[in-house]
Short mmCIF file of all heavy atoms in Angstrom, two decimals:
data_model
loop_
_atom_site.label_atom_id
_atom_site.label_comp_id
_atom_site.label_asym_id
_atom_site.label_seq_id
_atom_site.Cartn_x
_atom_site.Cartn_y
_atom_site.Cartn_z
N HIS A 1349 31.94 89.22 36.71
CA HIS A 1349 30.84 90.05 36.54
C HIS A 1349 30.16 90.25 37.90
O HIS A 1349 29.87 91.43 38.37
CB HIS A 1349 29.71 89.45 35.65
CG HIS A 1349 30.25 89.39 34.28
ND1 HIS A 1349 29.97 90.34 33.26
CD2 HIS A 1349 31.00 88.46 33.65
CE1 HIS A 1349 30.55 90.09 32.15
NE2 HIS A 1349 31.17 88.85 32.31
N TRP A 1516 35.59 84.29 20.30
CA TRP A 1516 34.47 85.05 19.85
C TRP A 1516 33.84 85.87 20.86
O TRP A 1516 32.93 86.62 20.40
CB TRP A 1516 33.39 83.92 19.24
CG TRP A 1516 33.25 82.88 20.31
CD1 TRP A 1516 33.81 81.77 20.54
CD2 TRP A 1516 32.05 83.00 21.35
NE1 TRP A 1516 33.34 81.08 21.65
CE2 TRP A 1516 32.15 81.82 22.08
CE3 TRP A 1516 31.01 83.96 21.42
CZ2 TRP A 1516 31.28 81.58 23.02
CZ3 TRP A 1516 30.11 83.54 22.51
CH2 TRP A 1516 30.31 82.50 23.32
N ARG A 1615 28.99 69.98 19.45
CA ARG A 1615 29.64 71.36 18.97
C ARG A 1615 28.61 72.28 19.08
O ARG A 1615 28.64 73.44 19.67
CB ARG A 1615 30.07 71.16 17.56
CG ARG A 1615 30.50 72.62 16.92
CD ARG A 1615 31.81 73.11 17.60
NE ARG A 1615 31.34 74.40 18.31
CZ ARG A 1615 31.50 75.60 17.73
NH1 ARG A 1615 32.14 75.78 16.57
NH2 ARG A 1615 31.24 76.66 18.46
N SER A 1617 24.14 73.08 19.80
CA SER A 1617 23.08 72.66 20.67
C SER A 1617 21.98 71.88 19.80
O SER A 1617 21.39 71.01 20.37
CB SER A 1617 22.48 73.65 21.58
OG SER A 1617 22.42 74.82 20.99
N GLY A 1677 -5.89 93.73 26.38
CA GLY A 1677 -6.38 94.66 25.55
C GLY A 1677 -5.52 96.03 25.44
O GLY A 1677 -6.08 97.10 25.18
N ALA A 1681 -1.28 100.31 20.14
CA ALA A 1681 -1.67 101.64 20.05
C ALA A 1681 -1.60 102.26 21.35
O ALA A 1681 -1.00 103.37 21.48
CB ALA A 1681 -3.16 101.67 19.70
N THR A 1682 -2.01 101.60 22.49
CA THR A 1682 -1.98 102.17 23.81
C THR A 1682 -0.58 102.40 24.20
O THR A 1682 -0.20 103.42 24.78
CB THR A 1682 -2.79 101.29 24.80
OG1 THR A 1682 -4.05 100.86 24.33
CG2 THR A 1682 -2.95 101.98 26.17
N ARG A 1834 30.98 78.69 10.13
CA ARG A 1834 30.79 80.14 10.45
C ARG A 1834 31.96 80.79 11.13
O ARG A 1834 32.47 81.84 10.86
CB ARG A 1834 29.52 80.37 11.19
CG ARG A 1834 29.17 81.83 11.10
CD ARG A 1834 27.70 82.06 11.35
NE ARG A 1834 27.44 83.20 12.13
CZ ARG A 1834 26.33 83.58 12.63
NH1 ARG A 1834 25.30 82.84 12.45
NH2 ARG A 1834 26.28 84.71 13.38
N HIS A 1873 19.43 73.25 7.57
CA HIS A 1873 18.31 73.97 7.01
C HIS A 1873 17.28 73.16 6.32
O HIS A 1873 16.87 73.39 5.15
CB HIS A 1873 18.76 74.97 5.88
CG HIS A 1873 19.68 76.07 6.48
ND1 HIS A 1873 20.09 76.10 7.84
CD2 HIS A 1873 20.33 77.03 5.84
CE1 HIS A 1873 20.90 77.08 7.93
NE2 HIS A 1873 21.07 77.69 6.69
P DT B 847 -5.38 99.20 20.64
OP1 DT B 847 -5.03 99.56 22.07
OP2 DT B 847 -4.23 99.35 19.67
"O5'" DT B 847 -5.88 97.74 20.57
"C5'" DT B 847 -6.88 97.42 21.34
"C4'" DT B 847 -7.12 95.92 21.31
"O4'" DT B 847 -7.75 95.65 19.87
"C3'" DT B 847 -5.83 94.95 21.24
"O3'" DT B 847 -6.21 93.86 22.13
"C2'" DT B 847 -5.64 94.54 19.86
"C1'" DT B 847 -7.08 94.64 19.26
N1 DT B 847 -7.18 95.00 17.79
C2 DT B 847 -7.98 94.12 17.00
O2 DT B 847 -8.63 93.34 17.48
N3 DT B 847 -8.00 94.51 15.72
C4 DT B 847 -7.29 95.55 15.11
O4 DT B 847 -7.50 95.86 13.84
C5 DT B 847 -6.43 96.29 16.04
C7 DT B 847 -5.60 97.45 15.48
C6 DT B 847 -6.39 95.96 17.32
P DT B 848 -5.06 92.85 22.44
OP1 DT B 848 -5.28 92.68 23.88
OP2 DT B 848 -3.81 93.25 21.91
"O5'" DT B 848 -5.61 91.56 21.71
"C5'" DT B 848 -6.96 91.21 21.69
"C4'" DT B 848 -7.25 90.19 20.61
"O4'" DT B 848 -7.28 90.84 19.33
"C3'" DT B 848 -6.09 89.08 20.63
"O3'" DT B 848 -6.79 87.80 20.56
"C2'" DT B 848 -5.44 89.25 19.23
"C1'" DT B 848 -6.53 90.01 18.39
N1 DT B 848 -6.02 90.89 17.34
C2 DT B 848 -6.57 90.76 15.99
O2 DT B 848 -7.51 90.15 15.78
N3 DT B 848 -6.13 91.69 15.13
C4 DT B 848 -5.08 92.65 15.32
O4 DT B 848 -4.64 93.37 14.54
C5 DT B 848 -4.57 92.65 16.70
C7 DT B 848 -3.39 93.57 16.98
C6 DT B 848 -4.97 91.80 17.60
P DC B 849 -5.98 86.52 20.94
OP1 DC B 849 -6.69 85.84 21.99
OP2 DC B 849 -4.51 86.82 20.99
"O5'" DC B 849 -6.03 85.75 19.57
"C5'" DC B 849 -7.49 85.64 18.94
"C4'" DC B 849 -7.29 85.24 17.51
"O4'" DC B 849 -6.74 86.44 16.80
"C3'" DC B 849 -6.21 84.14 17.22
"O3'" DC B 849 -6.85 83.05 16.48
"C2'" DC B 849 -5.14 84.89 16.50
"C1'" DC B 849 -5.88 86.01 15.85
N1 DC B 849 -4.94 87.23 15.49
C2 DC B 849 -5.02 87.90 14.29
O2 DC B 849 -5.83 87.45 13.55
N3 DC B 849 -4.25 89.00 14.18
C4 DC B 849 -3.28 89.38 15.06
N4 DC B 849 -2.61 90.46 14.85
C5 DC B 849 -3.15 88.68 16.35
C6 DC B 849 -4.00 87.55 16.51
P DC B 856 19.68 86.35 8.71
OP1 DC B 856 20.23 87.61 9.18
OP2 DC B 856 19.90 85.89 7.38
"O5'" DC B 856 20.05 85.19 9.68
"C5'" DC B 856 19.26 85.31 11.08
"C4'" DC B 856 19.00 83.75 11.47
"O4'" DC B 856 18.11 83.13 10.57
"C3'" DC B 856 20.30 82.99 11.40
"O3'" DC B 856 20.66 82.77 12.78
"C2'" DC B 856 20.00 81.74 10.76
"C1'" DC B 856 18.45 81.73 10.66
N1 DC B 856 17.82 81.19 9.54
C2 DC B 856 16.89 80.11 9.72
O2 DC B 856 16.50 79.74 10.89
N3 DC B 856 16.17 79.54 8.78
C4 DC B 856 16.54 79.97 7.42
N4 DC B 856 15.99 79.41 6.41
C5 DC B 856 17.50 80.92 7.22
C6 DC B 856 18.12 81.54 8.26
P DT B 857 20.76 82.82 14.09
OP1 DT B 857 19.62 82.04 14.51
OP2 DT B 857 21.00 83.93 14.81
"O5'" DT B 857 22.01 82.15 14.05
"C5'" DT B 857 22.28 81.11 13.11
"C4'" DT B 857 22.22 79.73 13.85
"O4'" DT B 857 20.94 79.42 13.98
"C3'" DT B 857 22.99 78.63 12.98
"O3'" DT B 857 24.38 78.65 13.01
"C2'" DT B 857 22.21 77.42 13.65
"C1'" DT B 857 20.79 77.94 13.71
N1 DT B 857 20.07 77.63 12.61
C2 DT B 857 18.92 76.77 12.61
O2 DT B 857 18.66 76.19 13.55
N3 DT B 857 18.39 76.48 11.42
C4 DT B 857 18.65 77.00 10.30
O4 DT B 857 18.00 76.77 9.32
C5 DT B 857 19.78 77.91 10.27
C7 DT B 857 20.15 78.58 8.80
C6 DT B 857 20.52 78.17 11.32
P DT B 858 24.92 79.90 13.92
OP1 DT B 858 23.61 79.93 13.80
OP2 DT B 858 26.02 80.84 13.78
"O5'" DT B 858 25.24 79.26 15.41
"C5'" DT B 858 25.64 77.87 15.20
"C4'" DT B 858 26.04 77.37 16.53
"O4'" DT B 858 27.47 77.43 16.59
"C3'" DT B 858 25.47 78.05 17.78
"O3'" DT B 858 25.20 77.19 18.75
"C2'" DT B 858 26.55 78.96 18.12
"C1'" DT B 858 27.72 78.43 17.53
N1 DT B 858 28.63 79.45 16.86
C2 DT B 858 29.99 79.23 16.66
O2 DT B 858 30.56 78.29 17.16
N3 DT B 858 30.66 80.18 16.02
C4 DT B 858 30.07 81.34 15.43
O4 DT B 858 30.74 82.14 14.88
C5 DT B 858 28.71 81.43 15.58
C7 DT B 858 27.89 82.53 14.96
C6 DT B 858 28.00 80.53 16.24
P DT B 859 24.86 77.32 20.12
OP1 DT B 859 24.24 76.05 20.45
OP2 DT B 859 24.10 78.61 20.37
"O5'" DT B 859 26.27 77.46 20.60
"C5'" DT B 859 26.62 76.95 21.89
"C4'" DT B 859 28.08 77.30 22.19
"O4'" DT B 859 28.72 77.81 20.97
"C3'" DT B 859 28.17 78.28 23.18
"O3'" DT B 859 28.24 77.65 24.46
"C2'" DT B 859 29.40 79.09 22.93
"C1'" DT B 859 29.71 78.71 21.49
N1 DT B 859 29.71 79.85 20.62
C2 DT B 859 30.74 80.10 19.75
O2 DT B 859 31.72 79.33 19.80
N3 DT B 859 30.63 81.21 18.91
C4 DT B 859 29.58 82.04 18.85
O4 DT B 859 29.69 83.04 18.11
C5 DT B 859 28.49 81.81 19.67
C7 DT B 859 27.37 82.73 19.66
C6 DT B 859 28.62 80.79 20.49
P DT B 860 27.12 77.97 25.42
OP1 DT B 860 27.10 76.88 26.43
OP2 DT B 860 25.88 78.37 24.73
"O5'" DT B 860 27.69 79.27 26.20
"C5'" DT B 860 28.88 79.30 26.73
"C4'" DT B 860 28.98 80.58 27.56
"O4'" DT B 860 29.11 81.68 26.68
"C3'" DT B 860 27.82 80.80 28.50
"O3'" DT B 860 28.30 81.39 29.73
"C2'" DT B 860 26.98 81.77 27.86
"C1'" DT B 860 27.92 82.65 27.04
N1 DT B 860 27.41 83.14 25.83
C2 DT B 860 27.77 84.32 25.32
O2 DT B 860 28.38 85.09 26.11
N3 DT B 860 27.14 84.75 24.22
C4 DT B 860 26.31 84.10 23.41
O4 DT B 860 25.85 84.46 22.33
C5 DT B 860 26.05 82.69 23.85
C7 DT B 860 25.19 81.79 23.02
C6 DT B 860 26.60 82.28 24.99
P DT B 861 27.46 81.23 31.03
OP1 DT B 861 28.02 80.13 31.76
OP2 DT B 861 26.08 81.47 30.80
"O5'" DT B 861 28.06 82.53 31.79
"C5'" DT B 861 29.43 82.56 32.11
"C4'" DT B 861 29.76 84.16 32.38
"O4'" DT B 861 29.57 84.86 31.18
"C3'" DT B 861 28.88 84.75 33.51
"O3'" DT B 861 29.71 85.47 34.46
"C2'" DT B 861 28.02 85.71 32.68
"C1'" DT B 861 28.86 86.01 31.49
N1 DT B 861 28.13 86.40 30.26
C2 DT B 861 28.68 87.39 29.53
O2 DT B 861 29.64 88.01 29.87
N3 DT B 861 28.04 87.71 28.36
C4 DT B 861 26.93 87.10 27.92
O4 DT B 861 26.28 87.44 26.88
C5 DT B 861 26.43 85.97 28.73
C7 DT B 861 25.19 85.20 28.22
C6 DT B 861 27.09 85.69 29.87
#
Side-chain angles (χ1 to χ4, degrees):
Chain A
H1349 297 268
W1516 52 273
R1615 173 69 246 262
S1617 36
T1682 314
R1834 196 156 142 186
H1873 298 356

